[in-house]
Amino acid sequence: MMKKYISYFFEGLAFLLAFVFASCASVPRVIFPQDGIYSYDFDRYVENVELAVIYKAYGMEAFQIIQKKSVGNAVYMQGGSFIEPETGIMISISALGNVSSPDNPSISGKYKRNGEFFFQGYYEENSQVLKIAIKGILLPTDASSRASSKYNGDFVLVDNGTERKQKVKIENGIYTWEYEDKQADDFTTWPTLVAPDGSIHCGFEMTVHTGVKGASDMVVSSKNESFGKVTPDGTISLKTLTKNSGTGQSGASEEITFNGTRGTENLNQITKDESDDSSVEKYFTKKRKPIQNQVKENPPEWYSDFIDNDEEYIYGSARKTFDDKNSALKIAEITAASQIKMTLSSEVQVHSEAKKSMSQDDSSGTKIESSFFSAVDSFSKINIPYVVKNSFYDEKTKTAYVVTALSRAEAEKLLSKAVSNK
């Protein structure tokens, strides 16, 4: 009899486990990150690495740094990937939050579930190596947080200053536009979110700092802010405030107003083929630029465009194709070292918060502010004690490969110093 009860017990247990596993299997797995439209606000830091190396060959210290802060942008996430608006690089986010790029293997970073992200890498523009680091907030939006379909449509806006016409499309709470008469110096337009009440707000601040030590030093800043509203009955009013200041700039503000209506002129009547190609998803993917940093030949076994940091070291890596061996190696080395500096800059906030939580005076209301730009600047002005772990120049492809490393002990000293100076 006891054996019979034991048999019933195990049969029941087996049934229960099967039921539990079946129930768990029926629960849909949450995909991260989810597909859809995301808000994308950021701080961007760009450094012209190659410029510094070229001038150094002539005994001069030169630099060119661009800092940009932007709000109100939108990107479309699909399959864990989106097109970064300014560079046109496809950015991919894994289920673990790791950031990479199928377009550019030097891109690496991290995305947190609260929307915070940081990634960095390097790319070439006008045949020069640029080091880029982007930190910001990337958050999903739902239909209730964007303008509804009653705001959709094709609009024509007229600039009251230049009389240039803008073609505007609003769809799924996204505002996109371009000039009717495109010109070579027009900037690349970005998608902007439209709020549920039809209000629009976006803008950026940018500073370009260029100089040669002992010879020249130029700082130019631009601030651009747009705000306005679209109504369900098909009208748009928009105001843009622009101010340029710094070297050679007057510092005066300029206000431009735009007014327009929905679908009232032939230039905005689009064909079916154009309509199919102007959907939200396809609009974003059209902004994708050609793949960069492709490896023409097999690199050394020890080389990778992204090397995971470990408990002992923070790594940087880079490659540069250049006919002159020494120049190629130097450009790659400085780029790899800059990668370490950017990593340190992104960690300043973490150390600042840790210091704040441990502070005995925290109850006094003292707040430790953290700035990505100031952190980058602080590290850019010091020579970090990195070492070149490996370097190689491939004579066949004229490509230099370099890996640099900074010990964790030295990194902690630098981070502590950076935080204490804030």
Side-chain angles (χ1 to χ4, degrees), residues 1 19 71 82 121 249 272:
M1 182 65 70
F19 175 77
V71 296
F82 68 94
Q249 302 295 317
K272 183 178 184 302

Side-chain angles (χ1 to χ4, degrees), residues 2-3 65 194 241 296 298 322 342 385:
M2 181 62 69
K3 290 182 179 180
I65 294 168
V194 182
L241 299 175
K296 297 177 182 178
N298 293 328
F322 204 74
M342 295 296 184

Side-chain angles (χ1 to χ4, degrees), residues 6-78:
I6 292 175
S7 175
Y8 286 155
F9 171 77
F10 282 111
E11 286 178 4
L13 180 62
F15 175 79
L16 178 62
L17 291 174
F19 175 77
V20 170
F21 287 134
S23 300
C24 291
S26 65
V27 175
R29 183 167 59 90
V30 176
I31 298 174
F32 174 79
Q34 298 181 25
D35 290 355
I37 296 170
Y38 282 61
S39 63
Y40 181 72
D41 298 340
F42 62 81
D43 291 346
R44 181 190 306 270
Y45 184 95
V46 181
E47 178 183 355
N48 191 329
V49 177
E50 192 159 340
L51 179 72
V53 176
I54 292 173
Y55 271 80
K56 197 166 187 178
Y58 295 95
M60 295 182 285
E61 292 185 34
F63 60 89
Q64 185 179 63
I65 294 168
I66 301 174
Q67 296 178 351
K68 190 171 187 179
K69 188 179 185 71
S70 187
V71 296
N73 311 296
V75 297
Y76 183 76
M77 185 81 68
Q78 187 171 38

Side-chain angles (χ1 to χ4, degrees), residues 26-246:
S26 65
V27 175
R29 183 167 59 90
V30 176
I31 298 174
F32 174 79
Q34 298 181 25
D35 290 355
I37 296 170
Y38 282 61
S39 63
Y40 181 72
D41 298 340
F42 62 81
D43 291 346
R44 181 190 306 270
Y45 184 95
V46 181
E47 178 183 355
N48 191 329
V49 177
E50 192 159 340
L51 179 72
V53 176
I54 292 173
Y55 271 80
K56 197 166 187 178
Y58 295 95
M60 295 182 285
E61 292 185 34
F63 60 89
Q64 185 179 63
I65 294 168
I66 301 174
Q67 296 178 351
K68 190 171 187 179
K69 188 179 185 71
S70 187
V71 296
N73 311 296
V75 297
Y76 183 76
M77 185 81 68
Q78 187 171 38
S81 298
F82 68 94
I83 307 300
E84 203 286 317
E86 187 165 288
T87 62
I89 298 172
M90 176 170 276
I91 302 298
S92 296
I93 303 173
S94 74
L96 297 176
N98 295 320
V99 177
S100 61
S101 171
D103 293 354
N104 187 328
S106 73
I107 298 294
S108 64
K110 199 73 177 177
Y111 175 72
K112 299 179 182 179
R113 290 184 180 271
N114 65 358
E116 294 180 5
F117 71 87
F118 168 78
F119 62 85
Q120 62 169 322
Y122 56 91
Y123 68 104
E124 291 198 11
E125 193 171 273
N126 300 322
S127 299
Q128 291 192 330
V129 174
L130 301 179
K131 188 72 186 67
I132 185 170
I134 304 178
K135 188 171 186 176
I137 299 291
L138 179 65
L139 293 172
T141 66
D142 57 24
S144 65
S145 62
R146 304 190 307 272
S148 64
S149 59
K150 65 183 179 181
Y151 293 95
N152 287 358
D154 300 300
F155 301 77
V156 178
L157 265 68
V158 180
D159 176 346
N160 73 332
T162 64
E163 298 300 320
R164 292 184 71 185
K165 293 180 179 180
Q166 294 180 2
K167 297 192 293 182
V168 174
K169 186 178 187 67
I170 296 178
E171 183 181 348
N172 293 335
I174 297 295
Y175 182 109
T176 57
W177 70 276
E178 62 182 18
Y179 284 115
E180 177 198 12
D181 57 328
K182 296 182 181 179
Q183 299 177 8
D185 59 348
D186 287 340
F187 60 88
T188 301
T189 60
W190 294 3
T192 299
L193 292 168
V194 182
D197 64 352
S199 59
I200 303 162
H201 177 250
C202 61
F204 69 85
E205 297 179 40
M206 183 172 69
T207 299
V208 181
H209 192 183
T210 306
V212 178
K213 191 174 181 179
S216 64
D217 195 331
M218 297 194 337
V219 180
V220 178
S221 296
S222 298
K223 185 173 182 179
N224 182 291
E225 186 176 21
S226 297
F227 51 92
K229 194 163 188 177
V230 57
T231 63
D233 62 5
T235 62
I236 295 181
S237 59
L238 198 67
K239 183 182 293 184
T240 297
L241 299 175
T242 303
K243 182 178 181 179
N244 297 319
S245 57

Side-chain angles (χ1 to χ4, degrees), residues 284-300:
F284 284 110
T285 56
K286 282 196 300 183
K287 298 297 182 180
R288 187 176 182 180
K289 293 183 179 178
I291 295 174
Q292 286 199 347
N293 293 343
Q294 288 181 294
V295 180
K296 297 177 182 178
E297 299 289 341
N298 293 328

Side-chain angles (χ1 to χ4, degrees), residues 212-419:
V212 178
K213 191 174 181 179
S216 64
D217 195 331
M218 297 194 337
V219 180
V220 178
S221 296
S222 298
K223 185 173 182 179
N224 182 291
E225 186 176 21
S226 297
F227 51 92
K229 194 163 188 177
V230 57
T231 63
D233 62 5
T235 62
I236 295 181
S237 59
L238 198 67
K239 183 182 293 184
T240 297
L241 299 175
T242 303
K243 182 178 181 179
N244 297 319
S245 57
T247 308
Q249 302 295 317
S250 65
S253 297
E254 181 182 9
E255 180 179 307
I256 303 175
T257 59
F258 303 85
N259 292 283
T261 54
R262 180 160 42 205
T264 58
E265 297 192 21
N266 290 333
L267 70 91
N268 219 38
Q269 300 301 315
I270 53 180
T271 65
K272 183 178 184 302
D273 289 339
E274 289 172 333
S275 179
D276 289 343
D277 194 44
S278 62
S279 65
V280 172
E281 294 86 348
K282 290 185 177 180
Y283 178 87
F284 284 110
T285 56
K286 282 196 300 183
K287 298 297 182 180
R288 187 176 182 180
K289 293 183 179 178
I291 295 174
Q292 286 199 347
N293 293 343
Q294 288 181 294
V295 180
K296 297 177 182 178
E297 299 289 341
N298 293 328
E301 291 183 0
W302 45 261
Y303 181 81
S304 172
D305 280 304
F306 168 64
I307 301 175
D308 278 315
N309 300 322
D310 55 37
E311 294 181 357
E312 294 186 44
Y313 293 98
I314 294 175
Y315 295 99
S317 59
R319 51 188 160 88
K320 172 62 182 176
T321 300
F322 204 74
D323 288 340
D324 181 70
K325 175 181 178 180
N326 291 332
S327 296
L329 286 168
K330 197 62 182 176
I331 292 170
E333 179 184 334
I334 291 178
T335 306
S338 180
Q339 195 174 72
I340 294 176
K341 290 183 178 182
M342 295 296 184
T343 300
L344 292 173
S345 302
S346 71
E347 292 185 5
V348 166
Q349 184 173 0
V350 176
H351 282 65
S352 296
E353 292 300 321
K355 180 179 177 181
K356 176 182 174 182
S357 64
M358 294 169 60
S359 173
Q360 299 297 319
D361 298 324
D362 189 51
S363 59
S364 65
T366 302
K367 184 178 181 181
I368 299 175
E369 296 291 344
S370 177
S371 167
F372 178 56
F373 287 156
S374 65
V376 175
D377 285 340
S378 66
F379 286 118
S380 67
K381 295 171 184 175
I382 62 174
N383 295 316
I384 62 172
Y386 70 87
V387 295
V388 176
K389 295 284 286 186
N390 285 298
S391 66
F392 173 71
Y393 183 74
D394 189 333
E395 294 286 354
K396 183 179 180 180
T397 62
K398 304 298 182 183
T399 302
Y401 299 89
V402 176
V403 172
T404 57
L406 176 69
S407 72
R408 283 287 183 183
E410 292 292 345
E412 288 299 324
K413 291 179 184 177
L414 293 170
L415 285 168
S416 298
K417 185 176 181 181
V419 171

